[in-house]
């Protein structure tokens, strides 16, 4: 009996000692959660109402990080490949993220050895710039460019090499990567 009374007394004491401020905070938090839930619902409705602007890259280009690429299923020499890409409102690829593009090419399975990219030293022997004018300063395969046959003036990406960039004979037919500039 005394023990039960003691327990009730302790409970009463602990309840009465619970700071009003604590309850107030709990109520405030519940209200805040309610408001957040309302806001989430509103945002969901706004997302549904958004016009469907479609993907970032126009078909058949695919987004890789923030760039748009297309890996060909046909093989052409470098000049023909460039013409083909330009006919797709793009140009041969000048990736800012060479390894992201490499991963993507591997993933498509479109090419097992190499693909043409957008760079050549045809008009400036020995000076390698991307078609957009940026110099190619990294990602050359070891010892490249080596002008191996005395006639290697176009850039390709070697699927199985690391680093992957190689100078190759422009007249060889290879699959290639086009890029659409956003
Ligand atoms: C590549 O080889 C050709 C033929 O030997 C030569 O004319 C050209 O200058 C070479 N290019 C470079 C960058 O060494
Ligand atoms: C890549 O580099 C090697 C060595 O220079 C060369 O023999 C070859 O023609 C280049 N291109 C391709 C597609 O293998």
């Amino acid at each position: 009996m005394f023990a039960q009374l003691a327990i009730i007394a302790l409970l009463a004491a602990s309840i009465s000692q619970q700071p009003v401020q604590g309850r107030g905070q709990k109520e405030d938090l519940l209200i805040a959660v309610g408001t957040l839930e309302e806001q989430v619902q509103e945002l969901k409705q706004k997302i549904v109402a958004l016009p469907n602007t479609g993907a970032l890259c126009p078909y058949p280009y695919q987004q890789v990080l923030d760039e748009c690429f297309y890996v060909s299923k046909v093989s052409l020499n470098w000049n023909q490949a460039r013409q083909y890409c330009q006919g797709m409102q793009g140009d041969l690829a000048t990736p800012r993220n060479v390894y992201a593009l490499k991963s993507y090419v591997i993933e498509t399975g479109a090419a097992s050895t190499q693909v043409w990219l957008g760079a050549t030293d045809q008009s400036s022997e020995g000076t390698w710039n991307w078609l957009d004018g940026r110099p190619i300063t990294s990602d050359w395969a070891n010892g490249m460019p080596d002008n191996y046959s005395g006639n290697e003036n176009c850039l390709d990406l070697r699927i199985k090499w690391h680093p992957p960039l190689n100078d190759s004979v422009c007249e060889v037919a290879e699959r290639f990567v086009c890029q659409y500039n956003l």
Side-chain angles (χ1 to χ4, degrees):
M1 181 70 181
F2 280 114
Q4 282 168 346
L5 276 178
I7 290 170
I8 289 168
L10 276 174
L11 277 175
S14 71
I15 288 168
S16 68
Q17 274 171 15
Q18 229 179 51
V20 171
Q21 198 195 356
R23 287 193 201 155
Q25 276 177 353
K26 189 177 174 186
E27 274 160 19
D28 286 348
L29 281 175
L30 284 174
I31 290 168
V33 167
T35 308
L36 279 176
E37 280 170 349
E38 274 169 29
Q39 285 173 348
V40 166
Q41 283 309 319
E42 272 173 29
L43 283 173
K44 277 185 183 166
Q45 281 163 13
K46 281 185 187 163
I47 288 169
V48 170
L50 275 179
N52 185 2
T53 49
L56 187 59
C57 305
Y59 182 84
Y61 292 93
Q62 296 292 321
Q63 186 181 343
V64 178
L65 292 183
D66 57 351
E67 303 180 283
C68 300
F69 298 115
Y70 169 79
V71 186
S72 80
K73 296 218 163 43
V74 297
S75 296
L76 296 172
N77 73 39
W78 191 90
N79 284 304
Q80 293 167 331
R82 185 169 192 201
Q83 197 182 23
Y84 190 115
C85 292
Q86 287 171 338
M88 289 175 56
Q89 295 186 24
D91 206 336
L92 278 171
T94 55
R96 271 177 285 113
N97 305 285
V98 169
Y99 292 98
L101 175 59
K102 184 181 178 186
S103 300
Y104 176 63
V105 171
I106 291 169
E107 202 181 295
T108 65
S112 55
T113 48
Q114 71 263 346
V115 285
W116 287 128
L117 295 184
T120 178
D121 75 339
Q122 281 173 120
S123 58
S124 54
E125 189 62 49
T127 303
W128 285 91
N129 291 326
W130 294 106
L131 289 173
D132 63 13
R134 285 176 301 128
I136 304 178
T137 51
S138 59
D139 308 322
W140 285 107
N142 296 331
M144 304 300 162
D146 66 352
N147 197 28
Y148 184 68
S149 57
N151 184 30
E152 291 191 325
N153 298 317
C154 291
L155 183 78
D156 64 13
L157 180 146
R158 302 286 304 202
I159 307 295
K160 290 176 181 150
W161 289 10
H162 181 85
L165 300 183
N166 191 31
D167 54 338
S168 290
V169 177
C170 304
E171 287 72 28
V172 172
E174 298 182 5
R175 292 193 176 190
F176 50 93
V177 184
C178 303
Q179 181 169 358
Y180 179 89
N181 282 308
L182 291 166

